[in-house]
Amino acid sequence: MEQQDRAQRLRGETEAVWATVVSFALGAGAGILLLGGDSRPLTGEGSLALPVAAIAGIIASAAFVLSTVRHRRGETAPMPRWQAVVSDLSAIALTVAIGAVTAMGVLLATEILAAGLQGLELAAIGGGLLAGVASAIGGRFAFGAGIGLRTADLSGLLASYLVIGTLFAMVTAVDPRWWEVNFSQLGNGAGSWAFNGTLIVAGLLIATVGSYVGRDLHRMLGDDALGRIGAIVLLWAATGAALAAVGLLPLHRVPIPHNIAAFAALALFAAAAVCTTLRVPGPPRALVITTIGVVILIAAALVMWVPFGLYGLTALEAIVVGLGLVWMTTLVRVLAIIVPPASRPSLRRSLLPG
């Protein structure tokens, strides 16, 4: 059995290597074709950054789809239609998210390279090689994700994307003193698409995390708990929708709806966190301690911000988001320990009782 498992893992590694090679070849070929003509700088108007990011993002998404079809084909066959639809919608959301994460990572990397290699310009071949390298990295990661993506992997993807997207928005911000107000200032001006787009995709990822949390809870609790699990999944979906609305409703255009969406996202996340903790069997002590600790720390942060004014709103937002990610990391790590690894098709033909 151990030898068979080792052989399977080696075959998976071989496939990942081939996925990397093919992604590099496709990315380099597309880059050479699209970047023909005069040499281009890494960033700025008419630069390599956007086309290279687009190529890498598309190839990463395609690699995820190919891997999912290859390794998880038939997984939804024994499921009732509603469960298969939920699984398919989650896969579609992940396809979009993985492409966006790859593209944003490339954009941030080109900004860093441009700062360290000032004046560098690349022609078609150089730009194509850059696109090939970016596509190879993104394609390998995406292909591995398609083999067996866990809730813990999704949480890491969300945290990485938030950090990468926010850092890119920072380095491209029109107003260098945005931090004196709040993070929403990054959604204003010429480069606002970076921050607003990050929030939209992050909202999609949070909703998908909620779908996977529901899947894990169903594997533990079975069909009898479907109603309560469904309510938790809807809470996560509403949290993601509210966060996406923050990006869709920029502060400088519609300040009141923007602020309503921001506070709604925070309140819904807190509700989803508490309800999920109460629904996990046990619940595990590590998750309970983390939940109580995060709630206390957020309350303390609010007190230090409003009455005492020890820091600005930007710092408070960073603290709340950081604590939220800490809680989510604990949740998914606990689920990875206690959730059965096998898929559990529902025996109910409909989500409606009876």
Side-chain angles (χ1 to χ4, degrees):
M1 189 68 178
E2 182 179 349
Q3 187 174 2
Q4 183 180 0
D5 180 62
R6 183 184 304 167
Q8 185 176 359
R9 291 169 62 185
L10 286 173
R11 283 196 300 271
E13 189 63 25
T14 301
E15 289 182 0
V17 170
W18 279 113
T20 306
V21 173
V22 172
S23 296
F24 174 83
L26 292 174
I32 291 172
L33 290 175
L34 292 178
L35 301 173
D38 297 334
S39 298
R40 304 189 188 193
L42 290 175
T43 59
E45 187 176 353
S47 65
L48 296 169
L50 282 177
V52 168
I55 291 169
I58 291 172
I59 290 176
S61 294
F64 176 75
V65 171
L66 178 63
S67 179
T68 300
V69 171
R70 175 171 174 77
H71 294 97
R72 299 168 65 186
R73 178 183 297 174
E75 184 179 74
T76 60
M79 296 179 180
R81 183 172 179 79
W82 67 265
Q83 192 178 18
V85 168
V86 171
S87 179
D88 292 339
L89 288 176
S90 297
I92 292 171
L94 281 174
T95 302
V96 175
I98 285 175
V101 170
T102 303
M104 194 63 73
V106 172
L107 291 174
L108 178 60
T110 53
E111 288 289 338
I112 295 172
L113 287 174
L117 302 172
Q118 296 185 19
L120 175 65
E121 295 187 356
L122 297 174
I125 295 179
L129 291 175
L130 182 63
V133 171
S135 300
I137 296 172
R140 184 182 181 92
F141 164 77
F143 190 86
I147 295 176
L149 195 67
R150 303 171 302 164
T151 311
D153 300 323
L154 270 181
S155 177
L157 184 66
L158 171 63
S160 300
Y161 183 66
L162 281 173
V163 171
I164 291 172
T166 304
L167 286 176
F168 178 73
M170 287 180 184
V171 298
T172 57
V174 176
D175 181 9
R177 303 184 72 87
W178 62 268
W179 55 272
E180 295 179 350
V181 185
N182 54 39
F183 275 99
S184 292
Q185 298 303 311
L186 291 173
N188 301 334
S192 61
W193 63 269
F195 184 72
N196 294 332
T198 296
L199 293 180
I200 294 170
V201 176
L204 184 66
L205 272 172
I206 285 181
T208 308
V209 168
S211 174
Y212 271 68
V213 168
R215 180 202 67 176
D216 291 347
L217 291 175
H218 178 255
R219 288 181 179 180
M220 290 186 290
L221 303 174
D223 287 347
D224 292 339
L226 271 179
R228 297 184 295 275
I229 294 172
I232 291 173
V233 172
L234 287 177
L235 268 177
W236 283 105
T239 304
L243 184 60
V246 177
L248 290 169
L249 303 169
L251 180 64
H252 68 289
R253 292 182 180 176
V254 280
I256 294 178
H258 175 92
N259 290 329
I260 291 174
F263 282 109
L266 178 61
L268 287 166
F269 181 84
V274 173
C275 292
T276 303
T277 301
L278 295 175
R279 188 52 51 199
V280 174
R285 183 176 298 178
L287 184 57
V288 174
I289 293 173
T290 303
T291 303
I292 295 174
V294 166
V295 170
I296 292 173
L297 288 173
I298 289 177
L302 288 170
V303 170
M304 288 188 287
W305 171 57
V306 179
F308 298 105
L310 296 181
Y311 40 69
L313 180 56
T314 304
L316 175 68
E317 291 173 337
I319 291 170
V320 171
V321 171
L323 289 172
L325 291 176
V326 167
W327 176 86
M328 185 173 286
T329 300
T330 303
L331 170 68
V332 296
R333 288 177 67 88
V334 167
L335 291 177
I337 295 171
I338 66 177
V339 172
S343 176
R344 183 172 187 172
S346 175
L347 298 178
R348 284 173 50 171
R349 310 315 299 175
S350 171
L351 271 174
L352 299 176

